[in-house]
Amino acid sequence: MILTPEQQALLDGSRGETMAKVMKTLVMYGDAFGAERMVPVTSKYGHTVISFGLKAIKPVYELYDQLLDGGLASAQKFTADPRPLDPRVPSSLAEDLVFKKIMYTDQKPYEEQLRRLGITSDDGYTCTCYLDEVGNKPEEGDVLSWAESSAVVYANSVLGARCNRNSGIIELMGSIAGFVPEFGLLTDEGRKASWVVEVRCSKRPEAQLLGSAVGMKVMEDVPYVKGLDRWLGAELSDEACAYLKDFGAATASNGAVGLYHIENLTPEAKKQGEALIREGAQLYVIDDQELERVRQSYPVVWKDPGAKPELCFIGCPHLSTSQLISWADRLEAALRENGLDKVSVPTVFTASTPVLKALEKTIYASKLRSYGVILSYICPLMYMNNPLCKKKAVITCSNKLRTYTSARYYTEDEILAIITAKEAAK
């Protein structure tokens, strides 16, 4: 790797031994992927995927102490993934004991480390850091040092920024140094599509289900998706962005997609069109039958597959303001139709604290609470990692949550029907 004089000086110890180790780590990371140089991180803020004080990751805290002792607060402030706990979310006494006495015992000291390292604020915990209310929205062409898979794929695809799927430690080191190795999705060649996905469904496909199908087929490759603009249009409206947020999260978790292109819609696809498609790209056709095949392939890991739902999580990744408003309207209509005042299954809507604060300025926050909905900043995945919570019959419309936990996937319409039924459906 060819370094600039400034970078070489850092590697040689101009800012101390700890910074030299950070630079050495980044150089070795780049060498492993054939990077020839470092490029500056140009986004306003960074983001860290590690937001949980899990006892098992003590080496992370020790590493962060070394960085702080070496005077290496991040060169750019950053946001972090959601917190793992929220007292508003239903849990039993036994579950709370596991959460607080066994699992997340280091949450408070870890958050203090993040504060000293440079987190933007106490409200800066969310997987949707790029939403306007949160304020960490990269510009087109910005180079990032992030790791959160759903945020990386959104930034690359919808915003046109450039970021590889880094690890939780590498992302912070890139923010500290202000440089990252140039390879993969940071390069023009690495952003070309090796798959063409043709969507031939009879109606707009469920975002999370379509993303799952694409992710499981193309894995870490870049897909160029045709036919989706038929329903989403040619402009990145709030509705289109919310759809792509959930679509991308499913591609990234059910596969390992870090970038997708949507014909006539996403920035690079609008500018370059089919020039983004590699010669010899593979074809994947998705129709109604293919989506149903994918849906039927999901295992049901509940001990009792016929159990009545005990809890519902909506918002993985975190919901946007427009999605919360849409859910409020749909819930109101469904509850009225079924003669109910409140949801029949304990239901948690998750969103960032800034989004929830914005919602409080509207009628919709009180509406949702009046329907029995819990509004929370929690990470559902971190909640479900509790072994006792895994035994619950939890339902979700998130394919990311389904993939990583024991939660059972249903489409949004199915979820709506279940949580507004007079007797919770099996």
Side-chain angles (χ1 to χ4, degrees):
M1 187 182 294
I2 300 172
L3 302 180
T4 66
E6 176 191 2
Q7 293 162 356
Q8 186 64 51
L10 292 175
L11 184 61
D12 292 341
S14 65
R15 282 187 55 193
E17 181 183 2
T18 306
M19 177 59 89
K21 289 181 178 179
V22 168
M23 282 299 297
K24 183 178 180 180
T25 303
L26 291 170
V27 169
M28 293 174 68
Y29 177 49
D31 283 344
F33 289 94
E36 296 181 356
R37 63 172 184 164
M38 296 278 194
V39 291
V41 174
T42 59
S43 59
K44 183 178 180 181
Y45 297 123
H47 184 82
T48 180
V49 72
I50 305 174
S51 62
F52 42 89
L54 196 63
K55 189 176 182 179
I57 58 171
K58 184 179 178 181
V60 171
Y61 313 139
E62 294 173 348
L63 174 60
Y64 284 8
D65 279 338
Q66 289 184 47
L67 294 173
L68 290 166
D69 290 345
L72 298 185
S74 179
Q76 56 173 192
K77 287 188 174 294
F78 57 87
T79 49
D81 263 19
R83 290 182 168 102
L85 300 174
D86 182 351
R88 290 169 292 191
V89 177
S91 60
S92 67
L93 177 61
E95 290 164 358
D96 283 340
L97 286 173
V98 172
F99 279 134
K100 296 174 183 178
K101 301 298 183 181
I102 299 175
M103 292 181 68
Y104 303 117
T105 55
D106 294 323
Q107 190 65 30
K108 286 186 178 180
Y110 179 58
E111 289 191 18
E112 175 60 20
Q113 282 187 316
L114 293 183
R115 187 192 64 77
R116 293 172 63 197
L117 283 166
I119 194 167
T120 55
S121 75
D122 194 48
D123 289 346
Y125 292 85
T126 177
C127 50
T128 54
C129 58
Y130 45 79
L131 295 181
D132 291 338
E133 293 89 345
V134 182
N136 187 0
K137 185 176 183 178
E139 300 290 333
E140 185 174 349
D142 270 348
V143 174
L144 319 179
S145 184
W146 292 6
E148 160 57 43
S149 62
S150 68
V152 166
V153 72
Y154 187 93
N156 275 322
S157 310
V158 181
L159 302 179
R162 297 197 166 197
C163 186
N164 282 314
R165 285 182 53 136
N166 302 300
S167 75
I169 301 298
I170 289 292
E171 65 178 355
L172 183 61
M173 289 187 174
S175 288
I176 287 173
F179 306 99
V180 287
E182 186 184 44
F183 68 90
L185 298 177
L186 300 190
T187 68
D188 290 342
E189 185 63 23
R191 297 177 73 84
K192 289 186 176 180
S194 51
W195 283 87
V196 173
V197 177
E198 292 188 1
V199 180
R200 301 179 186 175
C201 300
S202 60
K203 61 180 181 179
R204 190 177 86 164
E206 191 88 0
Q208 296 267 4
L209 186 53
L210 179 66
S212 171
V214 172
M216 287 194 287
K217 174 63 74 171
V218 311
M219 295 306 292
E220 77 278 7
D221 289 339
V222 177
Y224 186 95
V225 183
K226 296 183 176 184
L228 198 51
D229 57 319
R230 170 184 170 191
W231 295 283
L232 300 185
E235 300 298 330
L236 290 170
S237 63
D238 285 348
E239 182 181 2
C241 288
Y243 185 99
L244 295 178
K245 168 178 71 71
D246 293 342
F247 166 81
T251 68
S253 57
N254 287 206
V257 174
L259 164 67
Y260 58 81
H261 302 292
I262 308 296
E263 187 176 50
N264 299 323
L265 182 58
T266 52
E268 286 161 281
K270 291 190 78 166
K271 291 178 181 178
Q272 301 180 52
E274 294 192 5
L276 287 168
I277 303 173
R278 296 180 187 276
E279 184 177 350
Q282 300 182 73
L283 175 65
Y284 179 35
V285 176
I286 300 180
D287 54 18
D288 297 340
Q289 291 72 31
E290 174 62 5
L291 282 185
E292 183 58 24
R293 182 197 67 79
V294 170
R295 168 72 183 277
Q296 293 301 321
S297 73
Y298 299 158
V300 177
V301 295
W302 292 356
K303 185 176 181 180
D304 176 9
K308 291 183 178 180
E310 300 173 62
L311 183 63
C312 174
F313 274 117
I314 299 174
C316 180
H318 275 172
L319 296 168
S320 66
T321 302
S322 64
Q323 286 179 303
L324 285 164
I325 291 172
S326 174
W327 270 105
D329 290 339
R330 294 171 69 186
L331 271 176
E332 182 178 31
L335 288 170
R336 184 188 300 118
E337 182 178 347
N338 292 335
L340 296 177
D341 295 323
K342 296 182 182 293
V343 292
S344 52
V345 176
T347 299
V348 182
F349 284 6
T350 67
S352 69
T353 298
V355 164
L356 293 176
K357 285 183 175 179
L359 193 73
E360 291 291 348
K361 298 176 182 178
T362 73
I363 63 172
Y364 292 98
S366 58
K367 265 191 172 186
L368 285 168
R369 280 194 289 268
S370 73
Y371 304 149
V373 169
I374 297 163
L375 300 174
S376 174
Y377 51 71
I378 200 172
C379 173
L381 197 157
M382 292 295 104
Y383 175 94
M384 290 297 296
N385 276 346
N386 186 324
L388 297 181
C389 294
K390 289 180 179 180
K391 298 178 181 180
K392 284 183 176 178
V394 177
I395 61 174
T396 185
C397 50
S398 165
N399 236 317
K400 180 173 184 176
L401 191 61
R402 174 200 69 83
T403 301
Y404 293 140
T405 73
S406 59
R408 187 172 180 175
Y409 173 82
Y410 290 93
T411 66
E412 289 190 7
D413 286 345
E414 290 168 340
I415 288 284
L416 183 64
I418 292 171
I419 65 177
T420 61
K422 288 187 178 180
E423 182 180 349
K426 289 187 177 182

